Amino acid sequence: MDDYSVHQSLIPHHDAKKAPFLVSSTKWILKILIWVIFVTWVAFIFLFPTQFGGDMFEKWIRATNGTLFGITGSIFLLLSGPVVAIAFLCIAHLIIAGEEEFHHKKRWNRPKFRLWTFPVLVDGPLGVVSASELIGVLLFVAYIFWAVYSYTIRNLSLISEWEWDLSFGQRSIWMLELTGLRLGMIGLFCLAFLFLPIARGSVLLRFVDIPFEHATRYHVWLGHLTMILFTLHGLFYVIGWQMQGILIDQLLEWRDVGVANLAGVISLLSGLLMWVTSLQPVRRWNFELFFYTHQLYVVFVVFLALHVGDFIFTIAAGGIFLFMLDRFLRFWQSRRTVDVISANCLPCGTVELVLSKPKSLRYNALSFVFLQIGRLSWLQWHPFSVSSSPLDGKYHMCFLIKVLGTWTDKLKQHISNKLLEAEPHRIYKKITASVEGPYGHESPYHLMYENLILVAGGIGISPFLAILSDVLHRTHQGRPCLPRNILVVWAIKKSDELSLFSAIDMDSICPNFSSKLNLEILTYVTRESEPMLEDGKFDEVKTKRPYACPVSKGIGMSVLVGTGDNVWAGIYVIVSAVGLVILVGLLDVYYINPYGIITWWYKGLLFIVCMVASVLIFGGLVVAFWHLWEAKTSAKDREQCEEVVGTRVNEQESDEHVVSKTNLYQKNNANVADILYGTRPDFREIFGSVGKRWGYVDVGVIVCGPPTLQTSVAKEIRFHNLRRGSRDPILHFNSHSFDL
């Protein structure tokens, strides 16, 4: 019997070391400071629409107006400064936590419900919504109603002071314009949050451990809310101007002192175009239309700054600035071309790509990247989950890509053409790709559950292959790893998709793994009533040898984004923010104040220029040094990488490459996998059966598949958790799916 048993935790007690007291206490102090700043900032935003909040704001402006940066600096410090300060503290926390956080975060002592994994809403316009997400949504809705109510009271009070001197029509017009003004202000506060979720490598998202594919839904929700507010803001003004008969004049007006209406019209129109093309029916009809029109966010932001001027724009500038930092870093990373070490088309038509990566790049089994292949399209970037574990190899990363659209079809045809031209002992001209990422959870949460249920639909099995490989590697090597009971539920349309499991050979990774891990795999073939071949046994399927690139110099993906070096990332953010302060200060001292510049739209444009310049000059300088440091450190690994790539190519020297569909189903363990034909998973029955076997434990349920699959699983998890007995498991819903 091996040292590990299926009834024992795979994390030895001696590995669960506590962090030093100084490190632990510093982390707690940073967390407390972050939450104090965040709660104070949010509380002021809630109070701002009230008379009390307005008075506090005016006192702050009067107290700080005599400083170098004037009213612009005062508002930026009060309403955008907290976001930047939180980013600084998050950087410090990530640096101090380091790898210790990677191994021991989220290790729970006893089963209990958790707000972020308990699905509350499962079938509605918002998709699957957890309890914590619902609380956030309700808080935003409460803020909108509270702000509208408070502003309405203040508007009525202001109008009542002039009621004796105004007709009913004049009061109506004034009320419309005041309401439009207030709605625009509320929209600016929503805009302050809008760009935070889409900064893919954001330190804020990494601190709260929310991956980008989850955060995008928050951006979608906030985007709808923000555009509703801005649309009403413009509509109320349009109605008021039309009642006065000055609509065209006002729409074309561009004031030097005060808001520039025409700039606001341009900003709103670009926002409306982005909004309409982002609606789900349009995205499904033509995703490229949505993608390209969404680049109008540059027009939206620039003309918004021209519309309101610099000091009002600073209300939302903090989140926009952090997004600009992330976007510039992603631009630098994506300029490097990455070698495709090998490529192949599996029998089911899925493309398998193996990309080169540096040894220093850190990711976990649930990470994903954005790929762009210049030979197919210079503009399109597509997200794909990693199908390999970080422990599978130091110098490569694998992906399984299913043909689902025009781009993936072109990729398959391109690889197929390479395979058709295959000749013995021939190495072909290399294929290169551009990469952004990897992104994903900061910590590998799949390792923090002793009991896992992995639910996949079709190609959704790809990240679960990475999970299985990761768990098996860790089990074999004695690394920290909690899972000991794993149930995989996989729904596919045709049995030819079983060949996807040829990407993993479990016995070679962890010999006799069944003595260390309880693994069960249920595969549902929904569109076949019986096995295609006798007795469900599949012959080996032969395909052309995979495409293999020349032995390269180890040109792998850059580590600038995603889970890259925390110290360099921190220096980049801090230096860029300090650079913004310096540039704005120099602009005030040497240009705005001496020349008496008071034009609102011009000062707004200058502020945008300072933001861009701080990212390009100060941030660019840091990135340049970071890039040189990366090149220097990776040079030591290139010879080893060449040996690995050469070995991989030599292993593929035969004319034909044998792919076994039955790698998992026959070679590893006949008792591990069951294949059911002509039926779909009954999750109520599956979860009930698991409850009887596993008892009162935490069970992590990870779903990767279409929205209908997520909804079905979430609904049954909610049903089970609400009606569970005292000895039944608590199921935790986790989604690993893209809905862009």
Side-chain angles (χ1 to χ4, degrees):
M1 178 66 68
D2 292 290
D3 294 337
Y4 297 103
S5 168
V6 295
H7 301 293
Q8 297 175 340
S9 169
L10 296 180
I11 293 186
H13 292 292
H14 59 79
D15 282 340
K17 298 178 182 178
K18 292 184 178 180
F21 174 77
L22 181 60
V23 174
S24 179
S25 58
T26 303
K27 285 163 52 183
W28 274 107
I29 291 172
L30 290 172
K31 286 183 179 179
I32 292 172
L33 285 175
I34 289 170
W35 282 107
V36 167
I37 294 173
F38 178 75
V39 171
T40 303
W41 178 52
V42 172
F44 180 78
I45 291 176
F46 265 84
L47 289 174
F48 189 83
T50 65
Q51 187 64 49
F52 175 74
D55 293 340
M56 289 179 58
F57 180 71
E58 291 179 2
K59 291 179 180 178
W60 169 263
I61 295 299
R62 287 196 297 269
T64 58
N65 197 26
T67 60
L68 170 65
F69 300 99
I71 188 174
T72 301
S74 300
I75 298 179
F76 183 88
L77 182 63
L78 180 65
L79 295 173
S80 287
V83 179
V84 180
I86 290 173
F88 289 178
L89 295 174
C90 287
I91 291 168
H93 185 275
L94 290 172
I95 292 174
I96 294 173
E99 291 297 318
E100 180 273 333
E101 195 80 356
F102 182 78
H103 288 304
H104 302 291
K105 188 178 179 181
K106 294 184 179 178
R107 190 179 177 188
W108 302 307
N109 295 323
R110 62 185 181 85
K112 62 181 179 180
F113 292 107
R114 295 172 182 90
L115 294 177
W116 60 92
T117 59
F118 189 96
V120 179
L121 304 179
V122 298
D123 192 8
L126 299 182
V128 179
V129 180
S130 68
S132 59
E133 290 172 336
L134 181 62
I135 292 173
V137 170
L138 293 178
L139 285 175
F140 261 98
V141 173
Y143 166 71
I144 299 301
F145 280 103
W146 164 254
V148 171
Y149 169 77
S150 300
Y151 277 135
T152 301
I153 296 299
R154 293 178 64 181
N155 291 346
L156 292 174
S157 176
L158 183 62
I159 291 175
S160 64
E161 297 178 4
W162 298 86
E163 186 173 358
W164 58 272
D165 198 28
L166 297 174
S167 65
F168 176 79
Q170 291 174 320
R171 290 198 301 270
S172 300
I173 293 172
W174 197 8
M175 187 65 181
L176 282 170
E177 294 186 356
L178 283 175
T179 303
L181 174 66
R182 307 303 192 185
L183 290 173
M185 185 61 68
I186 299 172
L188 279 174
F189 283 116
C190 291
L191 187 65
F193 293 90
L194 181 62
F195 284 86
L196 297 177
I198 53 169
R200 296 176 184 174
S202 169
V203 293
L204 303 180
L205 295 181
R206 292 179 61 194
F207 172 75
V208 295
D209 202 10
I210 298 178
F212 169 71
E213 76 269 21
H214 291 184
T216 50
R217 66 202 309 246
Y218 309 145
H219 171 75
V220 172
W221 298 347
L222 284 168
H224 290 317
L225 180 60
T226 303
M227 286 312 305
I228 288 173
L229 291 169
F230 281 153
T231 302
L232 292 175
H233 161 73
L235 183 62
F236 277 39
Y237 271 106
V238 166
I239 295 174
W241 293 335
Q242 180 62 36
M243 292 174 63
Q244 300 175 69
I246 56 173
L247 176 60
I248 302 300
D249 292 337
Q250 288 294 323
L251 289 177
L252 299 178
E253 188 174 40
W254 194 299
R255 300 190 187 97
D256 287 338
V257 178
V259 297
N261 292 340
L262 181 57
V265 171
I266 296 173
S267 178
L268 181 58
L269 289 177
S270 61
L272 288 173
L273 188 57
M274 287 191 293
W275 187 25
V276 171
T277 55
S278 69
L279 297 176
Q280 194 170 29
V282 179
R283 289 208 316 270
R284 289 181 176 177
W285 170 65
N286 192 329
F287 183 84
E288 292 186 11
L289 178 63
F290 151 73
F291 177 79
Y292 296 138
T293 55
H294 232 64
Q295 308 313 307
L296 290 173
Y297 73 86
V298 176
V299 177
F300 175 79
V301 170
V302 170
F303 279 89
L304 175 65
L306 298 178
H307 173 57
V308 298
D310 58 333
F311 66 92
I312 298 178
F313 178 75
T314 55
I315 293 175
I320 296 173
F321 182 67
L322 293 180
F323 171 77
M324 291 170 61
L325 289 172
D326 177 78
R327 189 66 190 89
F328 179 68
L329 202 59
R330 289 193 283 122
F331 173 81
W332 265 73
Q333 185 194 36
S334 63
R335 294 310 92 195
R336 175 185 293 184
T337 55
V338 179
D339 289 342
V340 176
I341 298 176
S342 70
N344 192 27
C345 291
L346 300 181
C348 60
T350 298
V351 175
E352 181 185 34
L353 290 183
V354 181
L355 269 64
S356 175
K357 80 172 188 68
K359 180 180 177 181
S360 59
L361 185 137
R362 183 171 68 89
Y363 72 100
N364 66 62
L366 283 172
S367 296
F368 67 96
V369 303
F370 284 82
L371 291 182
Q372 179 257 2
I373 298 179
R375 295 191 181 186
L376 306 181
S377 173
W378 287 105
L379 297 176
Q380 294 187 44
W381 292 81
H382 296 267
F384 298 104
S385 296
V386 177
S387 62
S388 60
S389 163
L391 302 178
D392 281 330
K394 298 178 181 179
Y395 303 103
H396 73 274
M397 185 182 293
C398 301
F399 305 89
L400 293 175
I401 301 173
K402 185 175 182 179
V403 177
L404 293 173
T406 304
W407 188 88
T408 49
D409 183 62
K410 289 180 180 179
L411 175 63
K412 178 186 174 183
Q413 293 300 323
H414 185 65
I415 301 300
S416 298
N417 292 338
K418 289 285 185 181
L419 299 178
L420 290 174
E421 299 169 359
E423 295 180 6
H425 310 289
R426 178 182 174 187
I427 298 177
Y428 313 101
K429 184 179 180 181
K430 71 173 68 173
I431 298 176
T432 59
S434 297
V435 181
E436 283 188 14
Y439 304 108
H441 280 275
E442 182 67 12
S443 60
Y445 69 92
H446 63 281
L447 299 178
M448 309 307 171
Y449 292 102
E450 291 188 7
N451 309 278
L452 278 175
I453 299 178
L454 309 178
V455 182
I459 194 62
I461 197 65
S462 176
F464 297 157
L465 296 179
I467 287 180
L468 292 177
S469 178
D470 200 43
V471 171
L472 290 169
H473 276 295
R474 289 176 174 273
T475 301
H476 183 61
Q477 299 173 16
R479 292 171 176 257
C481 175
L482 281 179
R484 54 181 177 148
N485 297 304
I486 300 179
L487 170 63
V488 180
V489 181
W490 187 26
I492 58 178
K493 296 178 180 179
K494 299 287 186 178
S495 58
D496 61 358
E497 294 185 57
L498 295 173
S499 61
L500 292 174
F501 263 115
S502 64
I504 180 173
D505 187 345
M506 304 178 74
D507 276 327
S508 66
I509 296 175
C510 183
N512 300 318
F513 67 88
S514 58
S515 64
K516 306 173 183 179
L517 185 69
N518 281 329
L519 174 63
E520 182 181 0
I521 299 174
L522 300 176
T523 304
Y524 295 82
V525 184
T526 60
R527 295 189 180 180
E528 293 178 4
S529 58
E530 58 184 10
M532 296 298 291
L533 300 177
E534 186 178 0
D535 296 327
K537 296 179 181 179
F538 299 89
D539 295 330
E540 290 181 337
V541 178
K542 295 183 178 181
T543 65
K544 293 286 186 179
R545 75 187 274 265
Y547 159 87
C549 77
V551 178
S552 69
K553 295 182 179 180
I555 302 178
M557 59 189 68
S558 171
V559 300
L560 295 182
V561 184
T563 54
D565 188 278
N566 291 327
V567 175
W568 277 108
I571 295 173
Y572 169 68
V573 174
I574 293 173
V575 169
S576 299
V578 172
L580 174 61
V581 174
I582 292 174
L583 290 178
V584 173
L586 291 176
L587 192 68
D588 282 341
V589 171
Y590 292 103
Y591 182 62
I592 292 179
N593 294 332
Y595 291 94
I597 305 298
I598 60 173
T599 304
W600 283 26
W601 67 266
Y602 184 52
K603 293 177 68 176
L605 178 62
L606 292 176
F607 191 83
I608 286 285
V609 170
C610 288
M611 293 173 65
V612 174
S614 65
V615 174
L616 295 179
I617 298 173
F618 292 89
L621 185 64
V622 174
V623 172
F625 282 112
W626 187 358
H627 183 74
L628 293 174
W629 174 84
E630 179 195 359
K632 182 179 180 180
T633 55
S634 62
K636 300 177 182 178
D637 300 327
R638 285 184 178 178
E639 292 184 1
Q640 299 177 9
C641 182
E642 289 179 14
E643 294 177 2
V644 172
V645 174
T647 301
R648 186 176 184 89
V649 172
N650 292 331
E651 290 174 351
Q652 300 166 349
E653 285 297 321
S654 60
D655 284 337
E656 294 180 328
H657 177 63
V658 178
V659 179
S660 174
K661 284 184 176 182
T662 58
N663 184 285
L664 179 71
Y665 295 92
Q666 291 179 3
K667 180 180 177 181
N668 288 312
N669 194 323
N671 297 321
V672 168
D674 291 324
I675 306 176
L676 305 174
Y677 291 86
T679 184
R680 297 179 181 274
D682 185 342
F683 294 109
R684 183 165 301 182
E685 179 182 348
I686 292 171
F687 294 154
S689 174
V690 165
K692 293 177 182 178
R693 286 183 289 154
W694 293 355
Y696 180 51
V697 294
D698 277 320
V699 177
V701 182
I702 308 177
V703 186
C704 186
T708 53
L709 180 64
Q710 298 181 55
T711 299
S712 300
V713 174
K715 186 179 297 184
E716 293 304 327
I717 289 177
R718 184 181 64 179
F719 175 85
H720 172 89
N721 285 343
L722 292 177
R723 301 195 179 189
R724 59 176 292 276
S726 59
R727 304 309 303 169
D728 291 334
I730 296 177
L731 304 180
H732 300 272
F733 177 83
N734 299 273
S735 173
H736 184 73
S737 301
F738 293 95
D739 188 21
L740 301 178

